Amino acid sequence: GRARPSHSEPRGRDGRGEEEEEEEEMEGWQQLYPGHIPTSPLQKALLAAGSAVMALYDPYRHDMVAVLGETTGCLALPNLRDKMKNHPEGYRILQERPRIRLSTLDMARLQGLPEGSLGREYVRFLEDNKVSPDTRMPPKFVDDEELAYVIQRYREVHDVMHTLLGMPTNMLGEVVVKWFEAIQTGLPMCVLGAAFGPVRLSTRKLQVLATELVPWAIRSGLNASCVLNVYYEQRWEQPVESLREELGIFPPP
């Protein structure tokens, strides 16, 4: 064969070196959305394993829970996106990309809504549990811009799910919501939280969970229409009871 000078690089068809092509490809990946970190399947597997261990050790490590959701949602997220695309309200959400954050919420107006309305009860939930919608981490490891929005939307309506289900943010309430979300979304992160979250509960709470709350959460999750297909920002005035009935969520026990 013909010898090649040691300082030369393999060239692509357009004359560029392989390293240059890889660098440009990586740069293209990074432009999918702000904060996106491109990762290989192996890197995703390692991130998933590490975040799963940390999330099980400390369920309140929301950063680890977020990483676990992104690195294991490769099948569930496209299914959720398709459900949204095939629903008029869900499709509009995908097109308009609303966000639930303090910068987009008129808290004074929500606080002035009638008792029992979704907006008033949502603000009460935030105040009683001392949580903020701004604590939801932006996606980093989802290699599709539209799917990144889907998981962002799921995170930002999580507190709305607590409000609709009437569940607090303690471990018992989180486990119940995770059971509902596992049925609704199919996200492995939700399944893991539903399955392993109860290990930290007392015997009395486990009994209540197994006999009342989990059966109710499963029945509601199976019966309810997709909760991501609701434009909650345009439903703040709607009574919680009315929205539960519309979605097919049974009254909390």
Side-chain angles (χ1 to χ4, degrees), residues 20 26 28 36 54 127-128 139 142 156 166 185 189 208 221 236-237 248:
E20 295 175 17
M26 290 293 288
H36 173 232
M54 290 304 299
E127 293 172 344
D128 290 349
V142 180
E156 292 184 358
T185 68
M189 173 263 297
V208 174
W236 295 131
E237 294 85 359

Side-chain angles (χ1 to χ4, degrees), residues 113-181:
L113 291 175
E115 294 289 325
S117 64
L118 178 64
R120 182 68 190 92
E121 297 308 315
Y122 173 70
V123 171
R124 178 178 284 116
F125 168 84
L126 297 179
E127 293 172 344
D128 290 349
N129 293 279
K130 297 179 175 58
V131 294
S132 166
D134 287 358
T135 59
R136 302 301 168 189
M137 293 183 61
K140 296 179 181 179
F141 302 109
V142 180
D143 295 328
D144 182 285
E145 186 268 343
E146 192 171 45
L147 296 182
Y149 174 75
V150 172
I151 198 166
Q152 182 75 55
R153 183 65 175 176
Y154 156 74
R155 290 173 182 170
E156 292 184 358
V157 304
H158 177 74
D159 289 335
V160 181
M161 292 303 98
H162 273 275
T163 304
L164 284 173
L165 298 173
M167 291 293 132
T169 58
N170 58 23
M171 186 56 65
L172 181 63
E174 290 290 353
V175 169
V176 174
V177 173
K178 279 292 177 285
W179 273 100
F180 177 84
E181 290 179 340

